[in-house]
Amino acid sequence: MKIDYLSLKRITRQHADELCKAVNQVVDSGWYLQGKATHDFETAYAQYIGTRHCIGCGNGLDALILIFRAYKELGVLHEGDEVIVPANTYIASILALTENRLTPILIEPNAELQIDSTQIEQAITPKTRAILLVHLYGICAMNDAIRAICRRHKLLLVEDNAQGHGLKWNGLRTGSIGNAAAHSFYPGKNMGAFGDAGCVTTNDEMLANAVQSLGNYGSNHKYVFPYQGLNSRIDEVQAAVIMVKLKYLDADNQRRKTIALRYLEGIKNERITLIRPTNSVFHIFPILCEQRDNLQAFLHQKGIETMVHYPIPPHRQACFKAWNTLKLPITERIAQTELSLPCNQAMTDEEVETVIQAINQWTETY
Ligand SMILES: Cc1ncc(COP(=O)(O)O)c(C=O)c1O
């Protein structure tokens, strides 16, 4: 049996007729940008997330870049301002800050692999203006301490919800708990498009207008340009595709949760550390293992595909040379030991049991 890490073919097949119909409608409409599909999606997703505004854009990185750029244009943030961000994140979170000449302040993770809120306050300086919270692996990174720190220090709270579609905190959807949030609809996400797509959600009308204009060359009315913007818009095909996916998101997340709970119950190998998140949509199911590469090779030989999220942390990348000597031992340890098991709504129970059995069979002498 071959078990893919994630088969997009299978995921698409689950709603193929509906998806093809939605795409065909766009094709037949002759209208491919800034049309009805975009408007319908933005309205539906704002309602789902629970914000007044949703602005579609090209991808999740652009969504983050647009938020911080908009805050700069509005005079809320300035070049050189410091933004607290988890050290254990996908590089896009950091790129959005450096692209805007903001200074990322990297914070080590807690036992759920999310930003350690007990370490935030000591990193705050007079230049700190915001926290960029990342719900990495689909695990909720928000807590009461972060809320209190934001209030106490008057910090903006921006969410990177690229991996957290459908997550809830205190009855609110992530994407609505801070000042603004970025979402990615990269095909492999819990709610994936047929290419790149993303959006910004916020209750802040001024920010929403600035993001909208900045993603449209900086224009708020045709041929009128208050900003030097970029071109980052969602296209009608992607909007129509994710509109279909949105209907199934909660059910898909429930299936992911069932699989994750089965893993948590069934995996009993003392060489493996399981992460037991209190609140997750299980975009990724991470385990930690000192002999990670050996385990990965063993699973591969059994036909089970796994991935590593992520093998090199942002501060160790060549593109951030100045940080290469920073000591972030917890983040570095995660990069050396993390392994992501297949966990998605298209998996069968039999596949899940096969993964559990293989992991329980593994000994490091493989
Ligand atoms: C945490 C995080 N932030 C941002 C992004 C960027 O999203 P995109 O790939 O749509 O640019 C991703 C995903 O790729 C991500 O995982």
Side-chain angles (χ1 to χ4, degrees):
M1 189 195 283
K2 166 99 171 65
I3 301 177
D4 292 322
Y5 178 73
L6 176 68
S7 166
L8 291 179
K9 228 180 189 176
R10 265 213 223 172
I11 289 204
T12 299
R13 224 180 267 147
Q14 291 184 315
H15 307 292
D17 290 348
E18 219 177 326
L19 288 163
C20 288
K21 197 170 152 213
V23 170
N24 280 334
Q25 263 174 9
V26 174
V27 172
D28 287 344
S29 76
W31 195 283
Y32 306 123
L33 275 169
Q34 295 178 303
K36 184 177 179 313
T38 298
H39 180 263
D40 288 352
F41 170 71
E42 289 176 339
T43 307
Y45 199 61
Q47 191 177 17
Y48 177 83
I49 294 293
T51 51
R52 278 198 285 283
H53 308 279
C54 168
I55 306 105
C57 62
N59 54 67
L61 173 58
D62 280 359
L64 284 166
I65 289 175
L66 287 167
I67 290 169
F68 287 103
R69 175 77 193 278
Y71 276 127
K72 282 176 71 190
E73 295 290 351
L74 294 172
V76 177
L77 293 177
H78 301 92
E79 223 174 282
D81 283 350
E82 292 176 1
V83 179
I84 303 272
V85 62
N88 185 43
T89 187
Y90 182 58
I91 200 162
S93 320
I94 316 281
L95 290 173
L97 302 176
T98 52
E99 172 70 21
N100 277 296
R101 296 178 186 277
L102 298 165
T103 305
I105 303 296
L106 305 175
I107 305 290
E108 287 270 57
N110 59 22
E112 292 197 8
L113 315 182
Q114 308 304 304
I115 192 166
D116 182 352
S117 51
T118 67
Q119 293 196 35
I120 293 178
E121 213 146 23
Q122 65 216 46
I124 292 175
T125 75
K127 284 183 146 185
T128 311
R129 292 283 174 272
I131 297 178
L132 174 54
L133 195 63
V134 186
H135 306 292
L136 199 72
Y137 311 131
I139 299 174
C140 186
M142 186 58 180
N143 58 39
D144 292 333
I146 293 175
R147 172 70 86 218
I149 291 167
C150 287
R151 291 216 170 114
R152 202 154 45 237
H153 298 273
K154 298 191 171 45
L155 303 179
L156 291 172
L157 181 64
V158 177
E159 289 176 88
D160 179 340
N161 201 44
Q163 302 191 5
H165 305 119
L167 197 56
K168 273 187 173 171
W169 178 75
N170 272 2
L172 301 170
R173 294 271 179 208
T174 57
S176 73
I177 59 185
N179 299 85
H183 309 255
S184 161
F185 306 117
Y186 176 81
K189 298 291 195 250
N190 285 25
M191 190 170 100
F194 284 175
D196 276 321
C199 77
V200 171
T201 53
T202 182
N203 284 318
D204 181 338
E205 188 171 358
M206 295 243 287
L207 184 79
N209 289 339
V211 165
Q212 176 90 58
S213 300
L214 284 165
N216 190 34
Y217 310 100
S219 169
N220 53 3
H221 293 289
K222 202 160 193 189
Y223 306 131
V224 178
F225 300 88
Y227 309 112
Q228 296 175 25
L230 45 144
N231 176 2
S232 182
R233 302 177 298 207
I234 196 167
D235 69 66
E236 291 280 286
V237 170
Q238 304 314 332
V241 166
I242 48 180
M243 186 75 172
V244 173
K245 298 281 188 95
L246 181 57
K247 287 203 276 184
Y248 301 102
L249 177 59
D250 289 339
D252 289 346
N253 283 344
Q254 192 51 49
R255 175 67 187 150
R256 283 174 182 268
K257 187 172 177 179
T258 301
I259 294 168
L261 292 179
R262 182 66 202 115
Y263 279 155
L264 290 172
E265 176 190 62
I267 296 174
K268 291 186 180 4
N269 188 322
E270 61 192 21
R271 289 180 186 83
I272 285 161
T273 304
L274 295 169
I275 310 297
R276 297 181 185 276
T278 38
N279 182 10
S280 180
V281 286
F282 298 100
H283 171 57
I284 286 168
F285 187 92
I287 61 172
L288 303 179
C289 177
E290 290 296 327
Q291 304 81 23
R292 187 260 319 274
D293 296 347
N294 186 290
L295 171 60
Q296 186 170 38
F298 174 79
L299 293 174
H300 176 75
Q301 180 248 327
K302 293 260 176 199
I304 300 166
E305 200 187 328
T306 57
M307 288 185 66
V308 172
H309 295 95
Y310 299 90
I312 307 172
H315 72 281
R316 286 295 179 92
Q317 296 287 351
C319 65
F320 292 132
K321 268 208 176 54
W323 302 336
N324 286 178
T325 52
L326 279 183
K327 296 269 177 295
L328 293 158
I330 306 174
T331 300
E332 286 152 26
R333 205 82 208 107
I334 292 169
Q336 286 160 4
T337 58
E338 194 275 346
L339 189 69
S340 306
L341 303 185
C343 181
N344 62 76
Q345 65 270 26
M347 285 181 79
T348 64
D349 289 346
E350 193 191 358
E351 288 172 327
V352 175
E353 294 310 317
T354 304
V355 174
I356 292 170
Q357 274 174 24
I359 291 180
N360 288 344
Q361 268 172 22
W362 172 71
T363 57
E364 60 192 294
T365 49
Y366 162 71

